[in-house]
Short mmCIF file of all heavy atoms in Angstrom, two decimals:
data_model
loop_
_atom_site.label_atom_id
_atom_site.label_comp_id
_atom_site.label_asym_id
_atom_site.label_seq_id
_atom_site.Cartn_x
_atom_site.Cartn_y
_atom_site.Cartn_z
N ASN C 380 23.41 -27.00 27.42
CA ASN C 380 22.34 -27.23 28.39
C ASN C 380 22.55 -26.34 29.62
O ASN C 380 23.57 -26.43 30.29
CB ASN C 380 22.37 -28.72 28.78
CG ASN C 380 21.23 -29.09 29.68
OD1 ASN C 380 20.28 -28.32 29.83
ND2 ASN C 380 21.30 -30.25 30.28
N TYR C 381 21.56 -25.50 29.89
CA TYR C 381 21.67 -24.60 31.05
C TYR C 381 20.27 -24.10 31.37
O TYR C 381 19.33 -24.36 30.62
CB TYR C 381 22.60 -23.42 30.73
CG TYR C 381 22.10 -22.48 29.68
CD1 TYR C 381 21.49 -21.27 30.03
CD2 TYR C 381 22.18 -22.80 28.34
CE1 TYR C 381 21.01 -20.40 29.06
CE2 TYR C 381 21.69 -21.95 27.36
CZ TYR C 381 21.11 -20.75 27.72
OH TYR C 381 20.62 -19.91 26.77
N GLY C 382 20.14 -23.39 32.46
CA GLY C 382 18.83 -22.78 32.71
C GLY C 382 18.45 -22.72 34.17
O GLY C 382 19.27 -22.83 35.07
N HIS C 383 17.12 -22.56 34.32
CA HIS C 383 16.57 -22.21 35.63
C HIS C 383 16.20 -23.51 36.35
O HIS C 383 15.01 -23.85 36.47
CB HIS C 383 15.36 -21.31 35.42
CG HIS C 383 15.57 -20.25 34.36
ND1 HIS C 383 16.36 -19.15 34.56
CD2 HIS C 383 15.12 -20.14 33.07
CE1 HIS C 383 16.37 -18.39 33.47
NE2 HIS C 383 15.62 -18.99 32.55
N LEU C 384 17.21 -24.22 36.83
CA LEU C 384 16.95 -25.54 37.42
C LEU C 384 15.99 -25.44 38.60
O LEU C 384 15.17 -26.33 38.83
CB LEU C 384 18.27 -26.20 37.86
CG LEU C 384 18.12 -27.64 38.33
CD1 LEU C 384 17.70 -28.56 37.19
CD2 LEU C 384 19.40 -28.17 38.97
N GLY C 385 16.07 -24.35 39.34
CA GLY C 385 15.17 -24.16 40.47
C GLY C 385 13.71 -24.22 40.07
O GLY C 385 12.83 -24.51 40.89
N ASP C 386 13.41 -23.94 38.80
CA ASP C 386 12.02 -23.97 38.32
C ASP C 386 11.76 -25.18 37.43
O ASP C 386 10.70 -25.25 36.79
CB ASP C 386 11.70 -22.72 37.46
CG ASP C 386 12.36 -21.47 37.98
OD1 ASP C 386 12.45 -21.34 39.21
OD2 ASP C 386 12.81 -20.65 37.16
N GLY C 387 12.72 -26.09 37.32
CA GLY C 387 12.56 -27.23 36.40
C GLY C 387 12.58 -26.80 34.95
O GLY C 387 12.06 -27.50 34.08
N ASN C 388 13.16 -25.64 34.66
CA ASN C 388 13.17 -25.08 33.29
C ASN C 388 14.59 -25.11 32.72
O ASN C 388 15.47 -24.40 33.19
CB ASN C 388 12.64 -23.65 33.37
CG ASN C 388 12.69 -22.87 32.06
OD1 ASN C 388 12.49 -21.65 32.09
ND2 ASN C 388 12.94 -23.48 30.94
N LEU C 389 14.77 -25.96 31.71
CA LEU C 389 16.08 -26.04 31.05
C LEU C 389 16.04 -25.35 29.71
O LEU C 389 15.04 -25.44 29.00
CB LEU C 389 16.45 -27.51 30.77
CG LEU C 389 16.85 -28.40 31.93
CD1 LEU C 389 17.23 -29.77 31.37
CD2 LEU C 389 18.00 -27.80 32.73
N HIS C 390 17.13 -24.68 29.36
CA HIS C 390 17.34 -24.28 27.97
C HIS C 390 18.21 -25.37 27.38
O HIS C 390 19.44 -25.31 27.42
CB HIS C 390 17.95 -22.88 27.91
CG HIS C 390 17.01 -21.86 28.48
ND1 HIS C 390 15.71 -21.73 28.03
CD2 HIS C 390 17.14 -20.99 29.50
CE1 HIS C 390 15.09 -20.80 28.72
NE2 HIS C 390 15.92 -20.33 29.63
N TYR C 391 17.53 -26.40 26.92
CA TYR C 391 18.21 -27.60 26.43
C TYR C 391 18.47 -27.37 24.94
O TYR C 391 17.73 -27.85 24.08
CB TYR C 391 17.31 -28.82 26.69
CG TYR C 391 17.95 -30.13 26.35
CD1 TYR C 391 18.85 -30.73 27.23
CD2 TYR C 391 17.66 -30.79 25.16
CE1 TYR C 391 19.43 -31.95 26.91
CE2 TYR C 391 18.23 -32.00 24.84
CZ TYR C 391 19.12 -32.56 25.72
OH TYR C 391 19.72 -33.76 25.41
N ASN C 392 19.48 -26.54 24.68
CA ASN C 392 19.74 -26.09 23.31
C ASN C 392 20.76 -27.00 22.64
O ASN C 392 21.62 -27.57 23.30
CB ASN C 392 20.24 -24.65 23.32
CG ASN C 392 19.20 -23.70 23.91
OD1 ASN C 392 18.02 -24.05 23.98
ND2 ASN C 392 19.63 -22.53 24.33
N VAL C 393 20.65 -27.09 21.33
CA VAL C 393 21.55 -28.00 20.60
C VAL C 393 22.25 -27.21 19.51
O VAL C 393 21.61 -26.61 18.65
CB VAL C 393 20.76 -29.17 19.97
CG1 VAL C 393 21.72 -30.21 19.41
CG2 VAL C 393 19.83 -29.82 21.00
N GLN C 394 23.57 -27.21 19.60
CA GLN C 394 24.38 -26.51 18.60
C GLN C 394 24.78 -27.52 17.53
O GLN C 394 25.16 -28.66 17.85
CB GLN C 394 25.64 -25.97 19.32
CG GLN C 394 26.30 -24.79 18.64
CD GLN C 394 25.66 -23.46 19.02
OE1 GLN C 394 25.15 -23.32 20.13
NE2 GLN C 394 25.68 -22.51 18.12
N ALA C 395 24.69 -27.10 16.27
CA ALA C 395 25.01 -28.03 15.17
C ALA C 395 26.43 -28.58 15.32
O ALA C 395 27.31 -27.88 15.82
CB ALA C 395 24.88 -27.29 13.84
N PRO C 396 26.65 -29.85 14.86
CA PRO C 396 28.02 -30.38 14.90
C PRO C 396 28.94 -29.47 14.10
O PRO C 396 28.51 -28.92 13.08
CB PRO C 396 27.90 -31.75 14.23
CG PRO C 396 26.46 -32.07 14.18
CD PRO C 396 25.70 -30.78 14.26
N GLU C 397 30.19 -29.34 14.54
CA GLU C 397 31.11 -28.46 13.81
C GLU C 397 31.30 -28.99 12.39
O GLU C 397 31.58 -30.18 12.21
CB GLU C 397 32.45 -28.38 14.54
CG GLU C 397 32.49 -27.17 15.43
CD GLU C 397 33.67 -27.15 16.36
OE1 GLU C 397 33.99 -28.20 16.95
OE2 GLU C 397 34.26 -26.07 16.50
N GLY C 398 31.14 -28.12 11.42
CA GLY C 398 31.33 -28.52 10.02
C GLY C 398 30.26 -29.49 9.53
O GLY C 398 30.39 -30.07 8.45
N GLY C 399 29.17 -29.67 10.31
CA GLY C 399 28.13 -30.65 9.92
C GLY C 399 27.20 -30.10 8.84
O GLY C 399 27.30 -28.94 8.43
N ASP C 400 26.27 -30.93 8.42
CA ASP C 400 25.32 -30.57 7.37
C ASP C 400 24.15 -29.80 8.01
O ASP C 400 23.31 -30.37 8.70
CB ASP C 400 24.86 -31.90 6.73
CG ASP C 400 23.75 -31.69 5.70
OD1 ASP C 400 23.28 -30.55 5.56
OD2 ASP C 400 23.36 -32.69 5.07
N ALA C 401 24.09 -28.48 7.75
CA ALA C 401 23.10 -27.63 8.41
C ALA C 401 21.67 -28.06 8.06
O ALA C 401 20.79 -28.08 8.92
CB ALA C 401 23.32 -26.18 8.01
N GLU C 402 21.47 -28.45 6.83
CA GLU C 402 20.11 -28.82 6.40
C GLU C 402 19.62 -30.07 7.15
O GLU C 402 18.49 -30.12 7.64
CB GLU C 402 20.12 -29.09 4.90
CG GLU C 402 18.76 -28.85 4.27
CD GLU C 402 18.84 -29.02 2.76
OE1 GLU C 402 19.74 -28.43 2.14
OE2 GLU C 402 18.01 -29.77 2.25
N ALA C 403 20.52 -31.05 7.27
CA ALA C 403 20.15 -32.28 7.98
C ALA C 403 19.87 -31.94 9.45
O ALA C 403 18.92 -32.44 10.05
CB ALA C 403 21.27 -33.30 7.88
N PHE C 404 20.70 -31.05 10.01
CA PHE C 404 20.54 -30.68 11.41
C PHE C 404 19.20 -29.99 11.65
O PHE C 404 18.54 -30.21 12.67
CB PHE C 404 21.70 -29.77 11.82
CG PHE C 404 21.67 -29.34 13.25
CD1 PHE C 404 21.99 -30.23 14.27
CD2 PHE C 404 21.32 -28.05 13.61
CE1 PHE C 404 21.96 -29.84 15.59
CE2 PHE C 404 21.29 -27.65 14.93
CZ PHE C 404 21.61 -28.55 15.92
N LEU C 405 18.77 -29.18 10.70
CA LEU C 405 17.53 -28.41 10.89
C LEU C 405 16.27 -29.17 10.47
O LEU C 405 15.16 -28.65 10.56
CB LEU C 405 17.60 -27.08 10.12
CG LEU C 405 18.58 -26.06 10.70
CD1 LEU C 405 18.64 -24.82 9.82
CD2 LEU C 405 18.22 -25.66 12.12
#
Side-chain angles (χ1 to χ4, degrees):
N380 185 13
Y381 66 100
H383 317 286
L384 187 67
D386 322 323
N388 175 191
L389 287 183
H390 297 305
Y391 186 80
N392 298 341
V393 189
Q394 203 84 30
E397 265 170 317
D400 174 355
E402 206 176 311
F404 181 73
L405 289 177

